[in-house]
Amino acid sequence: MGLTKLERRQRIKKRIRKIVSGTTEKPRLSVFRSNKEFYAQLIDDTTGKTLVAASSREKGVDTDGNKVATAAAVGKVFAEKALKAGIDKCAFDRNGYLYHGRVKAFADAAREAGLKF
């Protein structure tokens, strides 16, 4: 019996979280993708607080087109929010997802908008 998709992702996620941790100066950028939506947040792991968050459900995020385009729009909005909050560096936590498709589109758009990771 093989692993389910979720079990496989949880294993990868544990492996990543051993290495990636967020601080106040360099918070962790965590992404989550459901079948319909895309979410991202900057987390300070020392205090356990979310500093900035954005999702495809917010007003102002262009959800026309496919899911990859939506994720890119979330990346742009997210980077603008983070820069407004005074955060320009972060550690990227892909949350067990492959760096491909929606996750890559989000990361590329956030980098283009000025976020460094």
Side-chain angles (χ1 to χ4, degrees):
M1 217 69 197
L3 294 172
T4 65
K5 271 187 181 179
L6 183 63
E7 289 168 338
R8 180 179 171 278
R9 193 178 132 245
Q10 295 296 351
R11 275 191 181 178
I12 296 168
K13 185 176 173 177
K14 264 191 210 168
R15 209 174 334 154
I16 293 168
R17 288 290 286 121
K18 277 189 228 170
I19 301 163
V20 178
S21 180
T23 62
T24 309
E25 301 82 49
K26 192 173 179 182
R28 175 170 57 95
L29 186 143
S30 179
V31 296
F32 176 76
R33 62 182 180 85
S34 70
N35 285 335
K36 286 185 175 182
E37 310 292 347
F38 195 89
Y39 306 87
Q41 56 185 349
L42 278 176
I43 304 163
D44 178 1
D45 288 315
T46 54
T47 59
K49 290 205 167 35
T50 297
L51 308 173
V52 177
S55 78
S56 55
R57 300 187 67 178
E58 291 179 6
K59 286 183 172 68
V61 175
D62 182 29
T63 55
D64 297 340
N66 60 10
K67 292 188 252 187
V68 174
T70 301
V74 173
K76 188 173 183 290
V77 170
F78 182 79
E80 288 166 3
K81 282 185 173 184
L83 292 172
K84 195 179 281 184
I87 301 164
D88 63 339
K89 287 184 186 166
C90 61
F92 190 63
D93 173 12
R94 58 190 174 89
N95 219 357
Y97 301 111
L98 295 177
Y99 188 77
H100 180 268
R102 287 191 271 169
V103 176
K104 186 177 188 305
F106 169 83
D108 291 344
R111 282 192 186 109
E112 272 180 39
L115 207 55
K116 293 178 188 72
F117 54 92

